[in-house]
Amino acid sequence: MSPRAWSFVLSWSRVGINAGLFLIAARVLTLAEIGSFATAFAAVRLVQAVQKAGASDAVTLLAGKGRRWEALFVLSLGFGTLAAAIIAGVGALLSPMALLLGAIPVLNAIGAVPEGILRYRLAVRALALRTLVVQLIAAGVALWMLSAGFGPWALVGFALVNALLGNLVALVLAGWRPVARPRPRDVRMVAGKTAQIAGRVALTSSTVPLAQLAIGVVLGPAAAGAFQIATRVFELIDALSLSPLRYIALPQLRHAPDLTAAILTHTRVAAGLALLTWGATLAATEPLLRLAVGPQHASAAAPVLQALALLGLVSALTMPLTQALTATGATGLVLARACAALGLSGVLMIPALTQSATACAVAIALGGTLASLWLVYAGLPRLGLRRRVLA
């Protein structure tokens, strides 16, 4: 198999097994139990995205010069330990699950640099097989815990086993260990570059985890459970439909001899798939959820998923434009769009939190849509495109 094919295996095993386990658990657990886990895990999920992407991308940029990987490992471990202390301390006030889940940032800190090294070496096959095997083992443990009556703690077990085994295997496969204490100037240089990467990732991936946390605290675990079910199904649909297009769009647009023609081609393909996928989701939301999580939770999660479907459609339609801007070096506009989406969603969620999880989903979808419309307005001139042509 080619590296690209292994990359699809990596992406789909990471999303598919996790989502599959969650859908099975949703048939057993109550909305309140799902929501209590989701609230406890929200901060871990946000930190995990920043850790993984920040450290892994920094490994590639630093290219192993001098003791920079050692400096990155020290920074990763320090950040992970601080995050773990905050999550375990503050999160314990919300849920005892946070005490155990707080260990995950430390485990990720140990394995972040080795995983980045594997990505830097293009060891995609090793990463894919590691993810597949580790997640299957973690899912087996979680299913046993569910059958034994551990309830939502089975999801905690999955998260902990997955983090422990995944990072240990990455450490072994990379064959790298920090061998010397990094120099202060290396730490300062690495800190600056890593902060830039981590900041961008935090902006683009924080909206849903922060909303999940706010809904759990303000509206209660049942509302948080409905929101969690809807967002998990939303992410699964996106991963199985748009992610493959998103993966190949950037390199193809980066090397396209006629960028305008390439953008229009990718937009046509993405639009056709998006209208089919999200149109079907909107038309059959409740039957889809009854099939996925059972009838007991479908009615509560259906309106939340319908609201998020608008965001899925808009994201798919603007994906080629976003990737084209990235390919041409206009990353500032893409970052500004992420800032705008986060800010608008946050402002709109303030009144929504007095209503329901569905109102919060509408706020997120509306904030993301307005930010995407701004990106179209600001980005088309940068690419030499007229709005009439894109329409």
Side-chain angles (χ1 to χ4, degrees):
M1 290 173 62
S2 66
R4 180 170 294 179
W6 280 114
S7 180
F8 285 129
V9 173
L10 171 63
S11 176
W12 287 345
S13 63
R14 180 176 292 163
V15 174
I17 296 174
N18 196 323
L21 171 69
F22 177 81
L23 295 179
I24 293 172
R27 291 177 172 272
V28 178
L29 304 177
T30 66
L31 277 180
E33 289 173 328
I34 295 170
S36 64
F37 167 77
T39 304
F41 191 65
V44 176
R45 187 180 178 190
L46 176 58
V47 170
Q48 185 170 264
V50 173
Q51 273 186 304
K52 292 280 186 178
S56 295
D57 289 354
V59 165
T60 301
L61 292 176
L62 298 170
K65 296 177 181 177
R67 297 175 184 170
R68 294 178 184 176
W69 284 356
E70 279 81 1
L72 183 58
F73 182 82
V74 169
L75 287 171
S76 176
L77 192 59
F79 175 78
T81 303
L82 177 62
I86 294 173
I87 291 170
V90 178
L93 300 175
L94 303 175
S95 169
M97 296 180 192
L99 287 171
L100 287 178
L101 291 171
I104 293 178
V106 177
L107 296 172
N108 287 337
I110 294 171
V113 173
E115 182 166 339
I117 291 171
L118 290 170
R119 286 184 59 194
Y120 172 67
R121 294 171 181 167
L122 293 178
V124 186
R125 178 177 179 272
L127 284 168
L129 291 175
R130 176 212 62 162
T131 302
L132 185 62
V133 172
V134 167
Q135 290 226 9
L136 285 173
I137 293 173
V141 172
L143 289 174
W144 171 80
M145 292 180 69
L146 276 174
S147 66
F150 283 91
W153 288 94
L155 298 176
V156 177
F158 173 83
L160 285 170
V161 173
N162 185 40
L164 176 63
L165 293 182
N167 287 296
L168 288 179
V169 172
L171 197 64
V172 172
L173 291 175
W176 176 87
R177 306 288 186 278
V179 295
R181 188 171 62 183
R183 294 168 293 189
R185 63 186 180 92
D186 283 332
V187 174
R188 288 193 297 271
M189 188 278 295
V190 169
K193 287 188 176 295
T194 306
Q196 293 174 4
I197 298 168
R200 185 178 72 244
V201 174
L203 285 171
T204 56
S205 62
S206 60
T207 301
V208 171
L210 289 176
Q212 182 72 70
L213 183 61
I215 290 169
V217 172
V218 177
L219 296 176
F227 186 80
Q228 175 72 178
I229 289 172
T231 54
R232 285 294 187 100
V233 174
F234 173 87
E235 290 166 359
L236 181 60
I237 294 171
D238 180 77
L240 296 178
S241 59
L242 188 63
S243 287
L245 296 181
R246 188 186 294 117
Y247 177 83
I248 63 174
L250 182 59
Q252 288 182 348
L253 291 168
R254 181 70 178 85
H255 300 101
D258 186 343
L259 182 60
T260 298
I263 292 172
L264 295 179
T265 298
H266 279 277
T267 301
R268 289 189 193 100
V269 175
L273 184 60
L275 289 172
L276 177 63
T277 302
W278 294 112
T281 301
L282 281 168
T285 306
E286 194 154 340
L288 172 66
L289 286 172
R290 280 203 299 267
L291 181 65
V293 299
Q296 70 273 27
H297 302 324
S299 58
V304 182
L305 181 58
Q306 286 175 329
L308 293 174
L310 171 64
L311 181 61
L313 178 60
V314 172
S315 297
L317 292 173
T318 55
M319 179 275 292
L321 179 65
T322 303
Q323 297 294 66
L325 289 169
T326 303
T328 56
T331 53
L333 285 176
V334 179
L335 183 60
R337 186 260 175 207
C339 291
L342 180 61
L344 288 169
S345 299
V347 170
L348 292 169
M349 272 197 63
I350 294 174
L353 281 169
T354 65
Q355 302 299 318
S356 65
T358 302
C360 293
V362 171
I364 293 171
L366 186 57
T369 299
L370 292 174
S372 295
L373 292 175
W374 171 84
L375 182 67
V376 172
Y377 176 80
L380 288 182
R382 178 65 181 264
L383 297 170
L385 282 172
R386 296 179 179 178
R387 289 188 290 275
R388 174 177 55 83
V389 175
L390 187 64

